[in-house]
Amino acid sequence: MTQNLADASGPASVTAAEPIAASAGASRGWWRDAVIYQVYPRSFADSNGDGMGDLPGIRSRLPYLRDLGVDAVWLSPFYASPQADAGYDVSDYRAVDPMFGTLLDADGLIRDAHALGLRIIVDLVPNHSSDQHEWFQRALREGPGSPLRDRYHFRPGKGENGELPPNNWESIFGGPAWTRSVNPDGTPGEWYLHLFAPEQPDFNWENRAVADEFRSILRFWLDMGVDGFRIDVAHGMVKQAGLPDIGGEGDQLKLLGNDVMPFFDQDGVHQIYRDWRKILDEYPGQRIGVAEAWTPTVQRTANYVRPDELHQAFNFQYLGTSWAADELREVIDVSLDSMRPVGAPTTWVLSNHDVTRHATRFANEPGLGTQIRTAGDRELGLRRARAASLLMLALPGSAYVYQGEELGLPDVTDLPDEVRQDPSFLRASGQDGFRDGCRVPIPWSGTEAPYGFGPAAGGPSWLPQPAEWADLSVEVQTGDPTSTLELYRSALAVRREHPALGAGTDVTWLDAPEGVLAFRRDSAQGSFVCTSNTTGAPVRMAAPGRILLSSADTEAADGEILLAADSTVWWAV
Ligand code: GLC
Ligand code: CA
């Protein structure tokens, strides 16, 4: 089942791609200030016109990412998968799904990226496999008592005939977290645990074969030359002993992220990362691990990046913050304070493939959560998104950019229900699961869909793109100084150049009018100030220096400036 480089067509490659040569920042850790661009392979670039993005497509667009000025690319899963959850249901961790290409394509992508100075981070999905994974299929076939069943969580049901699930846990995607299996003789059998879709059975990490297999999978991709792993559901692998019921029946989803659950953020999970860190450290070139850990507080997130664990963790508290100066200041302080004791860089993120794009979140009233279905005030949303992105890129540490946010793309809130593929939408009867809206293929060029996403005008795309996206393409925005794309390009260039930007552990807050966030960052070679007006009206204030970059037109005269509504300005001091 496992693909072999030598099996793939084309010249067999026998050596791993070379790691990127040590650069200036490498001694203190390249990831400490890296801007990491998330590619969602289905929706980035389609090389063969089947409507689905693929690895050769990504490979062909690497120069765009180099020119944009990012340091690394994180690829969402492209492994063999029945696609019950868009690839987060992996059936073979060492194979590329034919829909995305071959292992040789992955090898070429890693080599080309390194040649351009870009690092590659791949997604690792260790909490669960696909139900089509060989281990799970064999466990089903062999029936109760099979040792293979211990690699997952199989349990007899409760009730007289085992007709009730073993506990009351609910799936994140809606419905019970247990599904009853069918015995080889066709009778109803044991239940198995799946925190996500029924097609995603959870591994039992107490079983040594599971731990051994993932060590081997890590090495497989490290040997291929990848620079790191984004670890999916990094807070989920260890379950509380005995799998106890939880309180708050019917309301469990709301508890997520507010509490330590018997299946999330258990202390035992950290042993896995201590083990993996040793493997990462065996390889040259600073290979990293990034935790996707939804925890109740940034303080608990910091546990995942203690010195002997992973290198980074996503800052979802920041992602969930509204466009409001006081709230932003608080989350920035808490984030920096939480990471300082463990010595890990703080990270910042506004969008990813699981949440409504920030241009649309900020177009709506605050408090609607991270999956919303209304377009809101587009113009306002874009203005705030540009300001928020500039603020994020000014903060100390590493930042994540989700494909298309550099184009100012909104979420597609009006996708017809028939085209939606989010398993959560289907399971929760359309009450939840609007993640397809941020997964629509991005526009590159031309006036007709799929706007350069695929090779032919009029060709297919797996989700339909809105007609307005013709005006948001890379081609249209390139060279237009007012475009969001050029704003990102300039911001990333300034961020690279300015000595006070990038890595760091603190900011100095400056006095500012109500609703304005102002901070300074210092370095021996010069200081930098960022001012963000989160209010809907222009604010007059003293100019702190010389304007480097601005997300909106800013008037400056006689040492004073009029900071435009919902805007951010970068200053050299
Ligand atoms: C993570 C992924 C999400 C996926 C889930 C289950 O949260 O980001 O897309 O559905 O894990 O693997
Ligand atoms: Ca394709």
Side-chain angles (χ1 to χ4, degrees), residues 56 68 77 97 101 154 160 178 209 211 213 283 313 354 390 447 497 568:
L68 180 60
D97 197 282
F154 279 88
E160 215 167 304
W178 295 88
E213 174 68 354
Y283 285 78
D354 289 330
L390 221 50
T447 52
E497 287 300 306
T568 294

Side-chain angles (χ1 to χ4, degrees), residues 26 46 51 70 108 202 213 258 370 378 410 425 433 437 442 520 532 559 566:
D46 169 21
V70 301
D202 278 53
E213 174 68 354
N258 298 325
T370 53
R378 286 245 171 114
F425 180 78
I442 64 171
R520 203 181 65 231
S532 294
D566 297 307

Side-chain angles (χ1 to χ4, degrees), residues 544-560:
R546 174 175 61 84
I547 295 184
L548 287 168
L549 196 60
S550 171
S551 72
D553 281 344
T554 308
E555 289 170 40
D558 303 329
E560 280 218 320

Side-chain angles (χ1 to χ4, degrees), residues 46-54 99:
D46 169 21
S47 71
N48 60 355
D50 64 356
M52 196 51 89
D54 46 51
M99 151 180 138

Side-chain angles (χ1 to χ4, degrees), residues 101-245:
T102 65
L103 266 185
L104 201 63
D105 293 327
D107 177 63
L109 171 60
I110 296 166
R111 285 171 196 277
D112 284 6
H114 286 181
L116 292 170
L118 293 167
R119 289 186 162 86
I120 295 287
I121 293 173
V122 294
D123 220 304
L124 185 72
V125 190
N127 180 69
H128 44 263
S129 70
S130 159
D131 63 343
Q132 299 305 309
H133 190 283
E134 195 192 327
W135 286 4
F136 192 75
Q137 284 298 312
R138 272 176 59 198
L140 287 180
R141 273 201 310 275
E142 291 177 11
S146 160
L148 268 296
R149 291 209 169 193
D150 188 52
R151 296 180 186 184
Y152 295 91
H153 296 278
F154 279 88
R155 292 283 185 286
K158 284 186 178 164
E160 215 167 304
N161 301 306
E163 70 282 7
L164 299 171
N167 72 20
N168 71 353
W169 296 0
E170 287 170 14
S171 153
I172 315 301
F173 289 161
W178 295 88
T179 291
R180 194 166 193 185
S181 67
V182 177
N183 286 323
D185 68 4
T187 57
E190 294 178 321
W191 296 70
Y192 67 89
L193 176 69
H194 52 87
L195 293 182
F196 295 88
E199 295 88 352
Q200 294 167 294
D202 278 53
F203 280 119
N204 171 18
W205 271 84
E206 305 289 318
N207 184 296
R208 284 183 53 176
V210 173
D212 284 347
E213 174 68 354
F214 274 92
R215 285 189 202 105
S216 157
I217 293 165
L218 279 178
R219 289 185 189 284
F220 178 87
W221 288 101
L222 289 166
D223 288 338
M224 288 274 292
V226 303
D227 301 283
F229 300 90
R230 174 267 189 189
I231 296 145
D232 189 64
V233 197
H235 55 311
M237 282 116 92
V238 172
K239 277 74 181 176
Q240 193 177 326
L243 312 183
D245 278 349

